[in-house]
């Protein structure tokens, strides 16, 4: 349970909800719960953030305030990267987005990242309607690999220690950090009619891959051998992933319940394999979450119906969701997720690369920038996924493992959560060479590093002290 700390805010009316939110998120991971007070109620201790720090008791910790930050958020503008200041801290160069002659404004800087402010003010989107990494401030500053908000928390922790304010290092069931393996089940059948047509016509006859005849014949023979092998590769992969993960803990498996466009592949929920795998997963305390259809990120009716269908399948109301293709529009998606009944989202990772999209490896509540208020919806941010590592960043297995470990070490350093997304395609070496090796090595490495390994639902329950098992 968080210890209480009095906090005085003397900021503008429209900026106050932002400052309150940022302070709550920063202090929560330090084991502190803010109680907002007037200036006179701070007496001999507490935290102050605002325009008039002069005259406070020496025991009050002052968070430096930037007038420019307040003006910036009031006018809904995008950030000029040249205004960023840099601080060398704990061996890293950390960007401080807002500062003044009084010092570094950690509250405003943290709010920018946690609220996803840039995604509201930068209107660039890719072909799937996603905020692209190349348009992000992280890309410009080359800090995608850093959980900068965690560095801000450590700096704040040091400030509080000077005033002898006790802070905690939160743990996960006695472990110093957490690892959440997640599986997106986009397909349940490997050799579907469209895939067979691709191999026979597009790849072999029409040579869409633009390779020589020897390689075309080799690929065709690989296809025939795979097609004739008993069992379905993607179903075998899902069972294999389940068996390995349960050795160390549990996970979240995201299932689809509908298809509404060419980027969706439907699978029947009444088939024996689905019925059996759901029972097996639930018996090992794996969480079943919803992987909505392609258009559901902005379509409330689709999302509600798909959640209802999953509830009927698994017997409990799913609390976790990850949008298909990581499609996410900040002014729309979190609102319809919350109204549909979800409590946890884990869509906020970059589709093109691994890294910290919101500058953090800890859970945080969503903030509605348009309505200037906090939402009752948690984000457990996605750190990396197999497709980004292998298909977009073009890593080989060793490179993918090395990059994954580098990022996970930062999650461990700050006592955070490393969320990794794999698809149930591992072991299918024709199109996904090395993906299985990456999966197995990262799971085992996380266990060797003494991580708590669990589902998104159970990990958040450890963080908040609230059960999300909705029956």
């Amino acid at each position: 349970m968080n210890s209480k700390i009095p906090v005085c805010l003397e900021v503008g009316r429209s900026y106050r909800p932002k400052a309150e939110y940022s302070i709550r998120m920063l202090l929560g991971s330090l084991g502190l719960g803010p109680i907002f007070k007037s200036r006179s109620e701070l007496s001999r201790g507490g935290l102050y953030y605002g325009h008039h720090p002069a005259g406070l008791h020496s025991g009050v910790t002052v968070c430096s305030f930037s007038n420019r930050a307040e003006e910036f958020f009031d006018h809904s503008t995008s950030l000029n990267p040249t205004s960023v200041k840099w601080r060398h801290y704990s061996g890293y160069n950390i960007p401080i987005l807002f500062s003044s002659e009084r010092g570094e404004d950690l509250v405003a800087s943290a709010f920018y990242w946690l609220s996803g402010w840039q995604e509201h003010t930068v209107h660039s989107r890719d072909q799937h309607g996603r905020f692209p990494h190349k348009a992000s401030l992280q890309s410009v500053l080359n800090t995608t690999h850093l959980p900068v908000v965690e560095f801000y928390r450590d700096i704040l922790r040091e400030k509080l220690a000077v005033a002898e304010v006790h802070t905690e290092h939160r743990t996960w069931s006695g472990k110093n950090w957490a690892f959440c393996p997640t599986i997106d089940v986009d397909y349940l059948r490997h050799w579907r009619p469209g895939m067979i047509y691709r191999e026979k016509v597009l790849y072999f006859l029409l040579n869409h891959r633009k390779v020589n005849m020897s390689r075309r014949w080799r690929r065709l023979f690989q296809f025939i051998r795979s097609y004739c092998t008993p069992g379905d590769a993607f179903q075998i992969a899902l069972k294999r992933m389940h068996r390995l993960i349960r050795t160390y803990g549990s996970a979240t498996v995201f299932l689809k319940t509908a298809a509404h466009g060419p980027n969706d592949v439907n699978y029947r929920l009444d088939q024996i394999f689905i019925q059996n795998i759901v029972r097996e997963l639930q018996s090992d305390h794996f969480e079943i979450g919803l992987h909505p259809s392609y258009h559901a990120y902005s379509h409330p009716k689709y999302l509600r119906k798909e959640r209802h269908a999953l509830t009927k399948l698994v017997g409990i109301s799913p609390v976790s969701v990850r949008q298909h293709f990581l499609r996410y529009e900040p002014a729309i998606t979190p609102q319809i997720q919350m109204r549909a009944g979800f409590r946890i989202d884990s869509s906020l990772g970059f589709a093109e690369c691994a890294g910290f999209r919101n500058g953090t490896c800890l859970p945080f509540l969503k903030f509605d920038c348009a309505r200037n208020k906090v939402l009752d919806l948690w984000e457990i941010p996605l750190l990396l996924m197999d497709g980004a590592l292998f298909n977009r960043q073009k890593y080989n297995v060793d490179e993918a493992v090395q990059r994954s470990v580098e990022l996970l070490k930062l999650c461990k350093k700050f006592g955070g959560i490393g969320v990794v997304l794999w698809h149930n395609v591992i072991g299918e070496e024709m199109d996904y060479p090395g993906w299985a090796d990456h999966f197995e090595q990262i799971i085992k490495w996380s266990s060797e590093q003494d991580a708590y390994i669990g589902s998104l639902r159970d990990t958040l329950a450890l963080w908040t002290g609230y059960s999300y098992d909705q029956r």
Side-chain angles (χ1 to χ4, degrees):
M1 182 176 293
N2 287 346
S3 301
K4 302 302 180 185
I5 180 172
V7 177
C8 175
L9 299 180
E10 292 186 327
V11 298
R13 183 176 179 180
S14 64
Y15 182 54
R16 185 181 178 92
K18 301 176 178 67
E20 286 189 3
Y21 164 77
S22 184
I23 288 172
R24 286 186 186 277
M25 295 300 101
L26 286 170
L27 292 179
S29 63
L30 302 179
L32 297 172
I35 303 176
F36 295 99
K37 302 278 190 177
S38 67
R39 184 187 187 92
S40 62
E41 292 176 297
L42 281 187
S43 76
R44 297 180 178 274
L47 195 68
Y48 176 88
Y49 178 69
H51 291 272
H52 309 292
L56 293 166
H57 188 276
S58 60
V60 174
T61 300
V62 175
C63 289
S64 298
F65 171 81
S66 166
N67 288 314
R68 186 178 70 86
E70 190 171 46
E71 294 168 2
F72 171 86
F73 290 117
D74 280 349
H75 291 90
S76 299
T77 56
S78 56
L79 188 72
N80 183 349
T82 61
S83 68
V84 173
K85 307 297 182 184
W86 293 87
R87 174 171 177 175
H88 189 73
Y89 181 81
S90 191
Y92 298 87
N93 287 320
I94 307 304
I96 308 295
L97 306 188
F98 301 98
S99 57
S100 69
E101 67 280 357
R102 298 172 184 168
E104 302 163 339
D105 191 333
L106 303 176
V107 174
S109 298
F111 175 79
Y112 181 91
W113 298 116
L114 295 175
S115 68
W117 187 265
Q118 62 181 334
E119 303 186 29
H120 290 267
T121 57
V122 177
H123 301 296
S124 177
R125 297 293 186 267
D126 70 7
Q127 71 271 28
H128 296 292
R130 302 174 299 202
F131 177 69
H133 175 255
K134 65 182 179 181
S136 70
L137 186 62
Q138 290 98 318
S139 177
V140 174
L141 301 179
N142 191 28
T143 59
T144 310
H145 63 293
L146 294 177
V148 292
V149 174
E150 316 314 341
F151 288 95
Y152 300 161
R153 284 192 178 101
D154 265 13
I155 295 170
L156 179 58
R157 188 195 301 272
E158 291 178 354
K159 285 178 172 288
L160 292 167
V162 171
E164 298 183 349
V165 176
H166 174 71
T167 59
E168 296 179 3
H169 286 278
R170 303 280 298 272
T171 60
W172 313 89
S173 194
K175 305 287 188 178
N176 288 327
W177 72 294
F179 176 73
C180 290
T182 67
I183 305 169
D184 286 6
V185 183
D186 292 343
Y187 318 106
L188 269 182
R189 289 179 57 208
H190 185 198
W191 294 119
R192 307 177 301 279
M195 298 292 285
I196 297 171
Y197 175 81
R198 183 194 73 174
E199 295 296 330
K200 290 182 174 180
V201 178
L202 300 182
Y203 286 0
F204 183 72
L205 295 177
L206 302 180
N207 194 22
H208 276 204
R209 299 174 67 235
K210 295 182 172 55
V211 297
N212 61 36
M213 182 58 73
S214 174
R215 292 181 64 184
R216 287 158 68 183
W217 276 107
R218 190 181 311 124
R219 172 89 187 191
L220 182 65
F221 287 137
Q222 286 178 317
F223 156 68
I224 293 171
R225 184 168 59 250
S226 176
Y227 182 79
C228 295
T229 300
D232 186 276
F234 292 172
Q235 295 181 14
I236 292 170
L238 185 55
K239 289 184 175 181
R240 176 181 173 186
M241 297 167 89
H242 169 216
R243 285 195 300 269
L244 180 61
I245 294 170
R246 73 182 181 187
T247 304
Y248 305 104
S250 64
T252 298
V253 178
F254 289 100
L255 298 180
K256 298 178 72 68
T257 61
H260 294 290
N263 291 297
D264 290 318
V265 174
N266 199 13
Y267 45 81
R268 292 179 54 184
L269 300 180
D270 60 353
Q271 61 181 287
I272 296 299
F273 175 80
I274 277 285
Q275 303 288 330
N276 288 340
I277 195 67
V278 164
R279 281 195 297 269
E280 292 170 11
L281 291 169
Q282 289 184 310
S283 69
D284 288 321
H285 205 61
F286 278 50
E287 177 188 15
I288 310 294
L290 180 67
H291 197 40
S293 58
Y294 182 79
H295 295 293
Y297 82 108
S298 62
H299 200 299
K301 186 176 179 180
Y302 286 169
L303 195 62
R304 287 196 304 271
K305 290 182 67 175
E306 291 169 34
R307 183 174 187 263
H308 179 70
L310 188 60
T311 301
K312 289 179 64 177
L313 173 68
V314 303
I316 61 174
S317 299
V319 295
S320 295
V321 60
R322 173 177 293 139
Q323 300 299 142
H324 191 33
F325 273 66
L326 303 184
R327 302 188 88 197
Y328 186 92
E329 186 54 50
I332 301 171
T333 309
Q335 290 282 349
I336 66 174
Q337 289 176 339
M338 187 177 68
R339 290 169 185 163
F342 292 104
R343 302 298 303 278
I344 304 166
D345 175 70
S346 190
S347 304
L348 290 182
F350 287 114
E352 307 98 316
C353 63
F356 301 92
R357 178 164 167 173
N358 289 84
T360 184
C361 57
L362 287 170
F364 61 95
L365 287 167
K366 301 291 186 75
F367 190 89
D368 187 333
C369 293
R371 295 171 179 81
N372 204 25
K373 67 176 186 178
V374 185
L375 298 177
D376 187 19
L377 179 68
W378 286 93
E379 179 69 26
I380 306 183
L382 173 62
L383 179 65
L384 58 94
M385 70 170 172
D386 48 16
L389 293 170
F390 289 99
N391 293 341
R392 262 77 80 186
Q393 296 184 275
K394 304 297 183 182
Y395 290 145
N396 61 33
V397 177
D398 291 340
E399 292 168 335
V401 170
Q402 179 182 352
R403 186 58 169 165
S404 302
V405 166
E406 288 171 354
L407 293 170
L408 288 167
K409 281 182 176 178
L410 283 168
C411 295
K412 180 183 178 182
K413 171 183 173 67
F414 290 106
I417 308 172
V419 180
V420 179
L421 186 172
W422 287 285
H423 295 83
N424 59 313
V425 298
I426 65 169
E428 205 292 281
E429 293 294 309
M430 284 178 60
D431 290 316
Y432 309 100
W435 292 34
D437 289 340
H438 176 265
F439 167 75
E440 293 175 4
Q441 289 188 53
I442 294 304
I443 293 286
K444 293 175 182 177
W445 180 88
S446 298
S447 175
E448 291 166 358
Q449 297 298 309
D450 202 30
Y452 168 83
I453 299 178
S455 67
L456 298 170
R457 176 193 61 200
D458 293 345
T459 304
L460 184 63
L462 292 172
W463 181 254
T464 64
Y466 176 82
S467 174
Y468 296 91
D469 195 0
Q470 298 184 3
R471 296 191 178 274

